Amino acid sequence: MVAWRNYLLDHYAEQLAEIERAIAADDGVVGRYHRIFKDVDEDLFFYIASRTCELPVSMAELVPDWPPEAVRRQSTADTPLMISMLEALTFWNAVKRNSLKILRREIAELRVADYGAGWGRIARLSCRDVPEDQFLAFEPNPGFVEYYRSCRLPGRIIQTDWGSSSPLTCCDAFDVVYCFSILTHASDALTRRIKDRWIELTKPGSLVFATIRPQFFLAGGEGDAGYLSDTPLSEIMLQYHRGELVFRRYADGSGDWGVTVMSPEYASRVFGEEFSVIRYGPIPTTANQMIMILQRK
Ligand SMILES: C[S@@+](CC[C@H](N)C(=O)[O-])C[C@H]1O[C@@H](n2cnc3c(N)ncnc32)[C@H](O)[C@@H]1O
């Protein structure tokens, strides 16, 4: 590992020195993360954001710390840090690519929301591309909100209520809302409340990128899939194709949180009035989640 780190520092020495000069010359506080990193080579930025090599002090002060393991485990369980970051990277790249393709506007021009930000693994990537005043994170868990605010994560975070019951009064509509690993856990009632939030947060044409579980998870998924073993697969498949949400609450969770598999039929029925379901696509770094793109009508 040390040899690898030294290799990175050597290989990128010139660019690292340039970033340090840019940090020294930048005396603003708000929006610094985006200003400093927006033009940095994508691979180098990923090494910096995931603290793969020991960073020069000025840079280390700008890059968010990792959360304590206890905080991290509440969201990404025992997934190793680097795997979590690679999932976040491939997801964020898909959000960027498809936003450009569908909206024909660069992500840096758009207002972007992270809905259910957790410990901010995606925010630390997206805020390189999106100016701070165009970005907002939402999260109901006070522990994550506190970590987000204290660990130099860029952008602002707002604490939402778990039930999404009171209207949001925070902000203008967003062009892009992304939501990783939330519909994969939500009950039917919570999914509908989340949809109501997205209606509040979007305007006609806006995109929502949300992860759901692929159909094969029903038969061959790992980890959480064990929760489905209480019912014969044939019965679960019927339920899935009838357009019902396949949901089992976690033993220790609140009523609305567990393991969820959503079919295209369910997605059209529940989201179809307000959103067009325009694409389902896999995420190369995780077989347990895929991306559903919704466009507000
Ligand atoms: C598995 S974590 C994923 C966090 C983050 N999106 C990521 O991928 O790292 C699920 C997150 O959803 C949040 N959450 C739970 N219910 C929610 C709701 N009704 N609205 C928004 N977020 C919710 C949890 O607090 C937690 O941060």
Side-chain angles (χ1 to χ4, degrees), residues 241-279:
H241 287 298
R242 271 200 308 261
E244 292 163 25
L245 198 66
V246 177
F247 172 73
R248 298 289 181 280
R249 66 180 49 96
Y250 287 137
D252 56 351
S254 75
D256 281 320
W257 201 248
V259 51
T260 308
V261 190
M262 173 186 299
S263 62
E265 290 82 356
Y266 176 92
S268 314
R269 191 160 53 75
V270 171
F271 298 107
E273 200 175 312
E274 296 90 356
F275 295 92
S276 316
V277 181
I278 55 176
R279 207 193 86 153

Side-chain angles (χ1 to χ4, degrees), residues 75-76 114-122 138-141 144 160-164 179-182 185 190 194 257:
S75 166
T76 43
D114 183 334
Y115 194 74
W119 56 265
R121 64 183 171 142
I122 305 165
F138 295 86
E139 171 57 48
N141 181 328
F144 289 141
T160 52
D161 54 332
W162 290 89
S164 310
C179 186
F180 195 124
S181 206
I182 288 164
H185 298 286
L190 180 55
I194 290 172
W257 201 248

